[in-house]
Amino acid sequence: MHIASYDDDRIGVVVDDQIVDVTDLVPGPRAKWPPVGMVQFIAAFADDLSPVREAAERGARRPLSEVTLRTPVQWPNKLLAYPANYTDHITEMSSTYNARIKGFFLKAASSLTGPAGPIVVPDLPGCSIHHEAELAIIVGRGGRHIAREDAYQHIFGYACLLDITVRGDQERVMRKSFDTFTPVGPWIVTSDEIEAPDQLDMVLTVNGEVRQSANTRDLLLDIPGMIEMASSAVTLQPGDVIATGTPAGVGPIVPGDVIDIRIPGVGEMTVPVIQGPAVRNIAFGASA
Ligand code: MN
């Protein structure tokens, strides 16, 4: 199934070019804020999607074009990311480490944005801002100390993800955490539909030109390895998002660019880049 967040924290199942509202499958009152509906939904159905499947079959459908898709998990407990997880990207960055020995880092969850973006790039004179195409893992059943043999039982699904990054020596967390720097979408494809997550093609274009093209078989730390490593340190929670690393071909983006990421079997996002305001931040050398 393709499970999407849309409009005002609604949850829907996308069937072709239509969507069925399944928000009310999660019982109980719902706060307007924070938008944690999808986290509760994943916690409720991580181990058995059949109620969702039944509701999607009998529910009223409306055109997908009538709704606004949001980032699938708007308020996850954690947004984790693995650096340097494809050899060709390590080579292009002249990195001296990789994900297997470095482990993961965190991005601010507030950097998440929807599949239509836009990516708002700050005005940071002299700084290069790069695209990174990645497969996102969406955690289903949570847990700590998950063995790699059990890892796939903890994966709810997959999505496309862009890890937008200011290059520089500043803390990685700050360089990667600007608002809108993590578009995810267009929906979560549940893991039962992805027969071979370790053999997914991924293509990123900028203004129609191919910049990144890869396959998840080339991940250095593979998907079970990422779940095992993350959960050795932190308790994974339902709805946690894991960015799995980017292959070679990263490059600068500027306002006016249109970025497209496509993972056949998962989905496609087309995201415009627009100019944001100047950043008053002495870490980036701006004057106060
Ligand atoms: Mn990345």
Side-chain angles (χ1 to χ4, degrees):
M1 272 183 294
H2 296 185
I3 298 180
S5 287
Y6 68 99
D7 294 348
D8 189 14
D9 201 22
R10 305 305 294 179
I11 297 166
V13 176
V14 177
V15 184
D16 300 320
D17 56 354
Q18 296 181 302
I19 191 162
V20 181
D21 190 338
V22 294
T23 312
D24 294 334
L25 284 181
V26 178
R30 225 152 174 266
K32 267 266 180 211
W33 184 91
V36 293
M38 184 63 92
V39 173
Q40 294 170 325
F41 184 90
I42 291 171
F45 300 113
D47 288 328
D48 181 14
L49 281 167
S50 52
V52 183
R53 199 167 281 116
E54 284 158 26
E57 277 165 19
R58 66 167 188 266
R61 297 183 180 190
R62 61 189 286 211
L64 191 55
S65 58
E66 286 181 2
V67 307
T68 302
L69 293 180
R70 308 292 182 193
T71 198
V73 188
Q74 297 183 66
W75 198 275
N77 179 254
K78 290 181 288 300
L79 169 54
L80 294 86
Y82 283 90
N85 208 8
Y86 288 86
T87 300
D88 57 0
H89 175 59
I90 293 167
T91 303
E92 75 176 348
M93 299 302 287
S94 304
S95 283
T96 54
Y97 61 84
N98 67 63
R100 296 179 64 87
I101 57 170
K102 192 77 170 178
F104 63 86
F105 61 95
L106 289 162
K107 296 187 76 168
S110 50
S111 68
L112 289 163
T113 195
I119 296 164
V120 182
V121 292
D123 179 17
L124 287 172
C127 287
S128 191
I129 299 173
H130 279 194
H131 57 78
E132 296 188 354
E134 310 198 11
L135 173 73
I137 298 169
I138 313 297
V139 173
R141 191 199 320 158
R144 181 88 199 274
H145 303 301
I146 299 166
R148 60 174 288 125
E149 307 83 70
D150 302 327
Y152 282 115
Q153 295 170 34
H154 291 263
I155 296 178
F156 187 73
Y158 302 90
C160 303
L161 182 148
L162 296 172
D163 175 16
I164 305 300
T165 303
V166 178
R167 298 296 175 204
D169 295 331
Q170 297 83 3
E171 273 293 339
R172 169 156 47 195
V173 168
M174 182 166 66
R175 289 186 289 105
K176 287 174 171 278
S177 285
F178 286 89
D179 284 3
T180 76
F181 267 26
T182 315
V184 177
W187 39 62
I188 302 166
V189 175
T190 51
S191 49
D192 56 302
E193 286 196 9
I194 305 293
E195 208 169 293
D198 57 347
Q199 290 173 48
L200 292 171
D201 287 320
M202 177 166 68
V203 178
L204 179 139
T205 66
V206 177
N207 306 327
E209 180 189 319
V210 175
R211 294 268 187 90
Q212 296 187 274
S213 180
N215 188 288
T216 55
R217 76 171 68 90
D218 294 322
L219 284 164
L220 288 171
L221 182 62
D222 64 5
I223 290 169
M226 284 187 260
I227 296 288
E228 179 185 52
M229 182 181 284
S231 70
S232 74
V234 299
T235 300
L236 291 177
Q237 300 288 353
D240 280 355
V241 178
I242 302 176
T244 55
T246 200
V250 301
I253 55 172
V254 296
D257 284 346
V258 176
I259 304 175
D260 185 276
I261 176 174
R262 190 167 61 90
I263 303 176
V266 174
E268 180 171 13
M269 304 193 293
T270 303
V271 186
V273 181
I274 66 172
Q275 182 68 66
V279 169
R280 296 282 181 270
N281 183 331
I282 55 172
F284 286 108
S287 53

